[in-house]
Amino acid sequence: MRSLFFLGRQPKLGLAELESLYGSDAVAPLTETVAISSLEPHEVNFARLGGSIKLTEIIDTVHFTEWRKIEKVLLEQVPALATSLDQGKIQFGLSVYNTNIDLRDIQATALRLKKAIRNRTNQSVRVIPNQAAILSTPQVIHNHLTGPRGLEIVLLKVEERIIISRTYAEQDIEAYTLRDRNRPKRDTRVGMLPPKLAQIIVNLATADLDPRHGNIVLDPFCGTGVVLQEAALMGFDIYGTDIEPRMIEYTDKNLMWLHEQPNSPVVRPLESQDDPSWRYFSLEVGDATSHTWKSDTVRAVACEGYLGQPFSAFPSPQKLAEVTNTCNKIMRGFFKNIANQIESGTRLCVALPAWHQPNGQFIHLKLLDELDDLGYNRMSFVHVRDEDLLYYRPDQVVARELLVITRK
């Protein structure tokens, strides 16, 4: 195995995303929060992943857990790794997962490694101080530990062995914040879909589709355009509809704002530079239960469906029955409508509501038992169960259940 993926707050979603993109043979769960992979780090489009926090390249595995013996291995291997870094001041960090090693021992080892790196490379070295055993994402990013003069060594304890790896990529939290909070149009009444979750939804829907081949991703409940935004950043052509004209207006403004950002993949043609009507996407007002889409252009469907009324506390049985029936009716109507408009084999990932009961169990939409009759096959994953595809906070009543299906 060549690399490790450190998964996010909902690790099962991150694992399903990896399996969807790279296949069950290329990735496998190693711990509850880490996946191991046969992929080389450079084979991974890490910026596309919403469910992975860190990607590391495996250097070695040692079959002991005594800290002094581990430090001896590090003193032999890490200075040699540092010789491949660019000239200049080296930024060095050390993160240790799943152990009870005293923080002072980690700090002392980091300082010994600093000295060894300096002696081997004849370059100055700065150690990023450990406030905890694991360096935080902001520490890794702000100190450029994945840059040409950066080096973070990651130790992961798995049973009675230690996997030694080097950080290759870290989730860019600043980029997520920018495109989440800086968009010109946001609306808390229609929910705030996190960009990371939107990425996962798109990745579960698109699977083997190549963004470079003009494949179109449809969002029939586009809201303020978060799913379309993330699909566009991946390079897909995008097409959105929503029942509310205001949401189409918001999506239009947000997607045009995205195009103007420094790292936008969208290139405006020279002949359209002064054309105020130019768009790199298609948007329409339409009720998802009855709208007719340009179906011959759609290759994948990715969306957050109708989630119903938000709740701050678990509702009464009567209220819950009312809301679940409404959600079920709307989403069943959508699945019936679009089934007649997409080709066999077209893949969909739809976030549906599921209600988190005080006993920890979930109430699901009844339509999940009707998928066969509606004309769909439910996709199954090797490493993740269907019931694990839930996105929620512990105090949240309405969860998002990710349904991955294909048209028969």
Side-chain angles (χ1 to χ4, degrees), residues 91-161:
Q91 306 286 329
F92 173 73
L94 182 61
S95 288
V96 184
Y97 288 75
N98 293 356
T99 75
N100 56 0
I101 302 298
D102 191 284
L103 182 58
R104 291 170 295 183
D105 290 332
I106 296 173
Q107 293 168 331
T109 296
L111 291 175
R112 292 186 188 102
L113 287 168
K114 170 185 176 178
K115 182 178 179 180
I117 293 169
R118 187 177 59 213
N119 291 340
R120 179 70 178 267
T121 64
N122 293 318
Q123 295 172 238
S124 60
V125 182
R126 175 175 175 261
V127 171
I128 310 307
N130 284 79
Q131 299 168 348
I134 302 168
L135 295 177
S136 68
T137 294
Q139 282 182 298
V140 174
I141 292 174
H142 295 156
N143 292 288
H144 308 289
L145 293 184
T146 60
R149 293 194 300 275
L151 179 62
E152 182 191 23
I153 297 299
V154 176
L155 306 181
L156 172 67
K157 181 176 181 290
V158 183
E159 297 175 344
E160 294 305 310
R161 68 187 191 273

Side-chain angles (χ1 to χ4, degrees), residues 36-284:
I36 192 166
S37 175
S38 60
L39 297 166
E40 297 281 1
H42 65 81
E43 297 178 286
V44 177
N45 183 355
F46 188 76
R48 178 175 175 171
L49 301 176
S52 295
I53 296 172
K54 183 192 294 284
L55 170 64
T56 69
E57 180 180 12
I58 295 174
I59 299 168
D60 198 1
T61 300
V62 296
H63 295 271
F64 47 78
T65 59
E66 296 90 343
W67 187 250
R68 287 187 178 180
K69 294 172 70 174
I70 294 167
E71 181 183 283
K72 183 178 179 182
V73 172
L74 295 177
L75 287 169
E76 292 171 353
Q77 296 192 8
V78 173
L81 286 174
T83 60
S84 65
L85 300 176
D86 286 0
Q87 289 295 310
K89 189 171 187 177
I90 293 172
Q91 306 286 329
F92 173 73
L94 182 61
S95 288
V96 184
Y97 288 75
N98 293 356
T99 75
N100 56 0
I101 302 298
D102 191 284
L103 182 58
R104 291 170 295 183
D105 290 332
I106 296 173
Q107 293 168 331
T109 296
L111 291 175
R112 292 186 188 102
L113 287 168
K114 170 185 176 178
K115 182 178 179 180
I117 293 169
R118 187 177 59 213
N119 291 340
R120 179 70 178 267
T121 64
N122 293 318
Q123 295 172 238
S124 60
V125 182
R126 175 175 175 261
V127 171
I128 310 307
N130 284 79
Q131 299 168 348
I134 302 168
L135 295 177
S136 68
T137 294
Q139 282 182 298
V140 174
I141 292 174
H142 295 156
N143 292 288
H144 308 289
L145 293 184
T146 60
R149 293 194 300 275
L151 179 62
E152 182 191 23
I153 297 299
V154 176
L155 306 181
L156 172 67
K157 181 176 181 290
V158 183
E159 297 175 344
E160 294 305 310
R161 68 187 191 273
I162 298 287
I163 300 176
I164 305 170
S165 63
R166 171 186 182 175
T167 300
Y168 182 86
E170 190 88 8
Q171 198 170 66
D172 190 346
I173 55 175
E174 292 182 349
Y176 284 112
T177 300
L178 173 69
R179 60 185 191 257
D180 183 26
R181 300 181 183 177
N182 288 22
R183 295 182 300 141
K185 294 294 183 180
R186 304 170 84 230
D187 192 330
T188 57
R189 290 179 296 173
V190 298
M192 305 295 285
L193 182 66
K196 293 180 187 180
L197 179 57
Q199 281 183 308
I200 293 172
I201 291 171
V202 174
N203 285 327
L204 291 178
T206 55
D208 297 331
L209 291 181
D210 191 332
R212 299 168 297 180
H213 290 173
N215 289 307
I216 292 181
V217 174
L218 168 68
D219 183 348
F221 299 84
C222 68
T224 60
V226 181
V227 167
L228 296 176
Q229 164 187 282
E230 297 307 316
L233 288 171
M234 294 177 193
F236 288 106
D237 291 345
I238 51 175
Y239 177 16
T241 61
D242 197 279
I243 194 170
E244 288 194 44
R246 181 171 57 91
M247 292 296 97
I248 294 299
E249 176 190 345
Y250 282 14
T251 295
D252 181 85
K253 291 186 182 300
N254 286 335
L255 292 177
M256 290 306 290
W257 168 85
L258 180 70
H259 158 63
E260 296 165 358
Q261 301 311 299
N263 295 323
S264 171
V266 179
V267 178
R268 185 167 183 152
L270 289 175
E271 61 272 19
S272 302
Q273 293 296 318
D274 299 321
D275 181 1
S277 66
W278 175 83
R279 295 293 185 270
Y280 65 94
F281 47 83
S282 297
L283 295 176
E284 298 165 356

